[in-house]
Amino acid sequence: MTSQPNTGSDPAAQDMSPQEIQAVIDRILSKDVPAGTSMPDNGRGDGGAVLGKAQAISRLDEEHSEYDGDQQDLEERRALRRTAGLSTELEDVTEVEYRQLRLERVVLAGLWSEGTLADAENSLRELAALAETAGSEVLDGLVQRRAKPDPGTFLGSGKAQELKDIVMATGADTVVVDAELAPSQRRGLEDIVKVKVIDRTALILDIFAQHAKSREGKAQVELAQLEYLLPRLRGWGESMSRQAGGQVGGAAAGMGSRGPGETKIELDRRRIRTRMAKLRREIAAMKPARETKRANRRRNAVPSVAIAGYTNAGKSSLLNRLTDAGVLVENALFATLDPTVRKAETADGLGYTLADTVGFVRSLPTQLVEAFRSTLEEVADADLILHVVDVSHPDPEGQIAAVRKVFSEVDARKVPEIIVLNKADAADPFVVERLKQREPRHVVVSARTGEGIAELLKAISDSIPRPSVKLELLIPYNRGDLISKLHESDAEIISVDHIESGTRAVVMVREGLAAELEPFVTND
């Protein structure tokens, strides 16, 4: 249960120190409190309020390095900023479903049902980071100790009433719950707190909708949003009225209008299903283009390396450092959604592709996993996965577990994996050492400073598939095109010798090129 200090008959409250009393006053006045500060729980150990900035977003002095390019996309994203202090509190909560989701001043609420209190607080701080990324101002956060959610209001009627008091005291206009709410729970909680209530899934979908840029990405996000919205449609007042039917037919409505008719909510559901079917067709029509690109890489036997990991772990920064791709980099969750593929080479000239993928998060909505399945196939089809981990995060092991869960959902667990311990310049050395002991195949790097990049490039070179067919060739001088192909394609030239009859070469090539060179093989 949440612990709310009071000055009444509770003897524990009377024993509060001046610092604890000041913390309560600061919360009521909505002042900034340092990250990690918790409300006193009066010795009951049943949780408390979690305040301060979210630790899921690292606090680095320099957000970009020279390898990140001009970042023009970031300037465009930040061109329109939210103005603080403009409340959107609803006069009538029934308007919630029929207006665009916009977060302003929010209070967070979560349950501590398993694990430790630190785990619950880290999850709530990650929710705060998500809310800040969506453009809101986080005023307060509460963790309730409860065995399981209440089926009616998620928190229970008593705690929901306490949450209402906090919303009124802080001037919040939205409550964000750190779980996926059932439609009945959401409505029950809204009826009590009298402001808009959204859950973690709706918040993530809103961020995806803001950040999607490509046509395919926008279609995938819209499909996920409609799948989420369909079972949560509600109707009030006129929205439940019949479009025609009953005695309306006798009131100059004309023939064909008699009967039960169709309610507004039924009409909305039908339109949503029609739109979802159209989006699925559009996404299916976009898939061949991505498949064709993959087929070309497979036909040319170009090794593929996928950069995957938790959101805000530094995947785009790492891609920029390795390839000068100039991909958007922002200290926010889910900053980049559309996959980016770039060409790279090993030190000995072997080519491969690097693909930046969408970030993962705990409890990633299943609607997004399904909608982005074609994008996540980049990970499953890769020859090597660079699993980027933010070692400066309070719970890097939890991030690794969440990412590997998504790997299992997209059939990518059998792909070779290198754990890239990123942001080492901002991490606790003891945490880095702990993870090095836990993950035997690892590289410690900092995409911002360049630390460990050389070791990472060597690990990639040693791990990607290499040409496996060894040939001894004698190529006539009039076939310079084949010599050029050996230098341009993914082949390793072991030795070259120019003799009177042509160029003698010992090479390692892939099977496709070996068949083309078969007429020039010599066993001398």
Side-chain angles (χ1 to χ4, degrees), residues 7-19:
T7 56
S9 59
D10 189 350
Q14 299 174 1
D15 295 335
M16 291 171 59
S17 65
Q19 293 82 3

Side-chain angles (χ1 to χ4, degrees), residues 24-147:
V24 178
I25 296 174
D26 288 344
R27 181 188 66 76
I28 296 174
L29 297 179
S30 301
K31 293 182 178 180
D32 291 333
V33 182
T37 303
S38 299
M39 293 294 292
D41 62 0
N42 298 339
R44 292 194 296 264
D46 56 359
V50 182
L51 307 177
K53 292 291 186 180
Q55 295 184 15
I57 297 181
S58 58
R59 303 299 178 197
L60 299 178
D61 295 333
E62 299 178 10
E63 188 173 355
H64 301 104
S65 71
E66 58 181 328
Y67 294 89
D68 293 328
D70 296 335
Q71 293 292 309
Q72 295 179 353
D73 291 340
L74 183 60
E75 292 299 323
E76 178 185 351
R77 177 174 294 178
R78 292 179 174 177
L80 188 63
R81 306 293 290 177
R82 182 182 63 82
T83 301
L86 300 178
S87 176
T88 60
E89 186 169 357
L90 300 177
E91 293 294 334
D92 181 4
V93 75
T94 60
E95 301 173 15
V96 171
E97 296 289 349
Y98 298 100
R99 71 173 193 166
Q100 184 179 1
L101 178 65
R102 182 179 180 188
L103 308 182
E104 290 277 343
R105 296 163 57 84
V106 304
V107 171
L108 312 179
L111 284 187
W112 172 25
S113 56
E114 57 184 14
T116 64
L117 177 60
D119 294 335
E121 290 184 349
N122 282 333
S123 180
L124 203 66
R125 290 191 178 98
E126 181 176 272
L127 186 69
L130 289 167
E132 290 168 6
T133 300
S136 67
E137 178 185 356
V138 179
L139 302 178
D140 208 340
L142 301 171
V143 175
Q144 181 190 7
R145 178 60 163 160
R146 189 182 178 98

Side-chain angles (χ1 to χ4, degrees), residues 482-503:
L482 294 179
I483 297 295
S484 177
K485 184 173 291 188
L486 288 175
H487 283 281
E488 293 178 356
S489 64
D490 295 325
E492 295 184 49
I493 300 178
I494 300 174
S495 65
V496 175
D497 186 20
H498 301 285
I499 61 176
E500 183 179 352
S501 57
T503 302

Side-chain angles (χ1 to χ4, degrees), residues 421-455:
L421 303 177
N422 192 27
K423 303 185 183 180
D425 55 316
D428 185 343
F430 293 101
V431 176
V432 175
E433 189 61 33
R434 186 180 73 215
L435 289 172
K436 288 168 63 177
Q437 296 295 328
R438 173 177 173 173
E439 301 291 341
R441 198 176 186 191
H442 65 267
V443 180
V444 180
V445 305
S446 171
R448 189 167 65 97
T449 65
E451 173 191 348
I453 295 298
E455 290 82 355

Side-chain angles (χ1 to χ4, degrees), residues 152 181-192 197 234-236:
L181 296 178
S184 59
Q185 291 175 323
R186 181 181 174 187
R187 182 171 186 174
L189 196 55
E190 279 182 346
D191 289 342
I192 295 176
V197 175
R234 302 205 312 248
W236 301 272

Side-chain angles (χ1 to χ4, degrees), residues 109-235:
L111 284 187
W112 172 25
S113 56
E114 57 184 14
T116 64
L117 177 60
D119 294 335
E121 290 184 349
N122 282 333
S123 180
L124 203 66
R125 290 191 178 98
E126 181 176 272
L127 186 69
L130 289 167
E132 290 168 6
T133 300
S136 67
E137 178 185 356
V138 179
L139 302 178
D140 208 340
L142 301 171
V143 175
Q144 181 190 7
R145 178 60 163 160
R146 189 182 178 98
K148 60 181 181 180
D150 180 74
T153 60
F154 186 75
L155 299 175
S157 57
K159 291 303 173 185
Q161 189 63 45
E162 292 183 24
L163 179 61
K164 177 185 178 181
D165 296 339
I166 295 173
V167 167
M168 295 180 63
T170 58
D173 53 30
T174 304
V175 171
V176 185
V177 178
D178 192 19
E180 181 168 343
L181 296 178
S184 59
Q185 291 175 323
R186 181 181 174 187
R187 182 171 186 174
L189 196 55
E190 279 182 346
D191 289 342
I192 295 176
V193 299
K194 301 301 181 183
V195 296
K196 176 175 57 183
V197 175
I198 67 169
D199 58 16
R200 182 187 181 93
T201 300
L203 181 59
I204 294 175
L205 290 173
D206 182 71
I207 295 172
F208 270 59
Q210 291 182 43
H211 293 177
K213 289 291 185 182
S214 69
R215 179 167 170 260
E216 183 177 9
K218 291 178 180 179
Q220 289 169 329
V221 172
E222 185 180 355
L223 176 60
Q225 286 182 311
L226 292 177
E227 288 180 344
Y228 172 81
L229 177 63
L230 184 60
R232 291 170 172 80
L233 280 180
R234 302 205 312 248

